[in-house]
Amino acid sequence: YYITNQNQTAQEELFQAQFYFDADSWGLALNGDGNSYGFLEIIEEFPGTKAANLSRFYAGASFLKQGDFDGAIRQLKEFSSDDYLLQGRAYSLIGDAYMEMDDFSNAISYYNRAVDYKENESFTPIYLKKLAIAQEQEGSLAAAANTYGVIVSDYPNSTQIHDAKKQKARLEALAQ
């Protein structure tokens, strides 16, 4: 009974924190408002629950929005999900945090994880574009051109297709 009750309480607390997150109130989402817990308190008070795990995702995203890239990486690396979209998104956000810190090697690693996690028409092309940008920033122009080429060949209906064609051509010219 205790575990069920703890899960229910954690879910109820998560609802208010998500409300603050959706309203771009990162501080309240992370730390609560004095009446309701924030993501960090949910993680601490309800360890091992689904709500605590999901709070890690939201806390990481909140830290990223606030410019605390180390905090974002720490929380997102602790998050784990077999959800169709969330785990890939977490990898992408970790890549974003590394990009903000000009750590292109780690950004590339996490964007690759995002690309490889349950490929889909909606998000994989976006992750590929982020990967190509990181590769270009690292100086790997040919790799970046090839990554854009994957968007062109494998995702012809993507909203990224026109930019991918343009960037691929630009990078191929630069690489010569």
Side-chain angles (χ1 to χ4, degrees):
Y1 171 77
Y2 174 72
I3 296 211
T4 303
N5 193 29
Q6 187 182 32
N7 279 325
Q8 184 174 348
T9 304
Q11 289 292 341
E12 291 166 2
E13 292 293 340
L14 183 60
F15 178 78
Q16 185 62 44
Q18 286 174 314
F19 173 81
Y20 286 129
F21 181 87
D22 291 340
D24 297 344
S25 297
W26 315 121
L28 290 171
L30 282 167
N31 302 308
D33 60 14
N35 293 317
S36 299
Y37 287 175
F39 298 126
L40 297 176
E41 292 166 301
I42 294 168
I43 292 165
E44 188 175 313
E45 294 295 320
F46 306 103
T49 63
K50 288 181 181 181
N53 184 50
L54 190 55
S55 289
R56 289 197 181 282
F57 176 84
Y58 280 111
S62 297
F63 280 131
L64 186 62
K65 292 287 189 178
Q66 289 184 317
D68 180 351
F69 308 121
D70 289 322
I73 291 166
R74 190 172 49 256
Q75 291 298 329
L76 290 163
K77 281 185 173 181
E78 292 293 319
F79 171 75
S80 175
S81 176
D82 57 6
D83 180 83
Y84 184 67
L85 298 176
L86 273 184
Q87 187 62 58
R89 180 81 176 122
Y91 291 145
S92 177
L93 291 173
I94 295 170
D96 293 348
Y98 279 123
M99 281 294 286
E100 291 290 343
M101 298 182 341
D102 294 334
D103 183 344
F104 306 121
S105 175
N106 274 314
I108 289 168
S109 173
Y110 277 92
Y111 289 144
N112 270 316
R113 286 184 182 191
V115 166
D116 293 339
Y117 187 82
K118 298 185 181 180
E119 270 184 70
N120 64 80
E121 293 284 327
S122 298
F123 292 98
T124 303
I126 294 167
Y127 302 151
L128 283 164
K129 181 178 180 178
K130 288 180 175 197
L131 173 60
I133 291 168
Q135 290 168 326
E136 181 178 1
Q137 289 294 309
E138 188 186 49
S140 304
L141 303 185
N146 288 338
T147 299
Y148 282 119
V150 173
I151 298 172
V152 172
S153 64
D154 295 2
Y155 300 97
N157 299 320
S158 166
T159 58
Q160 307 297 320
I161 191 72
H162 298 296
D163 188 53
K165 288 178 181 178
K166 180 174 70 175
Q167 296 301 329
K168 180 178 184 283
R170 179 183 65 80
L171 287 166
E172 286 172 344
L174 285 174
Q176 290 180 355

